[in-house]
Amino acid sequence: MGRRTEESTDHPPTANHRVHDRHWAAELRDAAFCAGVLLAVLAVVDTAAGRLTLPRTALWTGLSLLLFVVLLPPRVTAGPGWVATRGLLRKRVVRTDALVSVRWVDGVSRRLLLRDTHGARLELDPDVLIRDPELWRLFEQGTRLSTDRGLLLCGRTAVGQLSRRIDGETVRTVFRISGLR
């Protein structure tokens, strides 16, 4: 007999029910580790060459901090009818129950660009939704509401593609866990 926690999924979500990306802390540690390794390597190489000075140490530290900032993922949080990302400098919130557009943005990594009726925009890494079923459930419920209300004018295809990808990942996970593949 265990205690029920606020994180339990046995009860329906309430208005203040929030879900955070469970993998964000690990990604934060990875970003800090990469920045620390870069700083250590640069300091060791400079020390071995006999050229490590205070200005060069400050330069390498700044370069490592820049790498950390680039690698730092935004923290994704969702609740009933909304998704938010918090980056280093700003927080963006979009109403998933009032979406007018969901589209893919191609680049180095594929992103989802969400726009709601209030003009709010948010870029979201689809892997966050794929890795976290609870975030996906809240996102999908909101997009379904937008579609039912006739608000989602552009993006049913993108949401459908993401849904099929998540279903495929789920099937592969079930097969792997059951030992079928």
Side-chain angles (χ1 to χ4, degrees), residues 9 13 17 19 22 78 129 131-139:
T9 57
H17 179 72
V19 177
R22 294 179 291 169
L129 299 174
R131 288 187 316 240
D132 198 322
E134 191 68 16
L135 280 174
W136 166 247
R137 186 184 62 79
L138 289 168
F139 176 78

Side-chain angles (χ1 to χ4, degrees), residues 34-108:
C34 288
V37 166
L38 177 67
L39 180 60
V41 166
L42 291 172
V44 165
V45 167
D46 247 12
T47 302
R51 300 179 60 173
L52 188 63
T53 62
L54 189 59
R56 288 176 71 92
T57 302
L59 176 68
W60 300 146
T61 302
L63 188 62
S64 295
L65 286 174
L66 181 63
L67 178 66
F68 176 73
V69 168
V70 168
L71 294 178
L72 180 68
R75 177 111 194 234
V76 178
T77 307
W82 59 272
V83 172
T85 58
R86 180 180 297 275
L88 194 60
L89 300 176
R90 73 190 316 176
K91 179 179 180 180
R92 293 181 182 256
V93 180
V94 74
R95 298 291 310 188
T96 56
D97 57 359
L99 286 175
V100 294
S101 172
V102 177
R103 58 188 184 95
W104 291 107
V105 177
D106 290 323
V108 173

Side-chain angles (χ1 to χ4, degrees), residues 27-38:
E27 291 177 355
L28 175 68
R29 280 191 304 273
D30 290 346
F33 177 75
C34 288
V37 166
L38 177 67

Side-chain angles (χ1 to χ4, degrees), residues 151-165:
L151 298 173
L152 189 58
L153 305 173
C154 172
R156 290 185 193 137
T157 305
V159 173
Q161 289 171 343
L162 183 59
S163 179
R164 284 188 296 280
R165 184 172 168 197

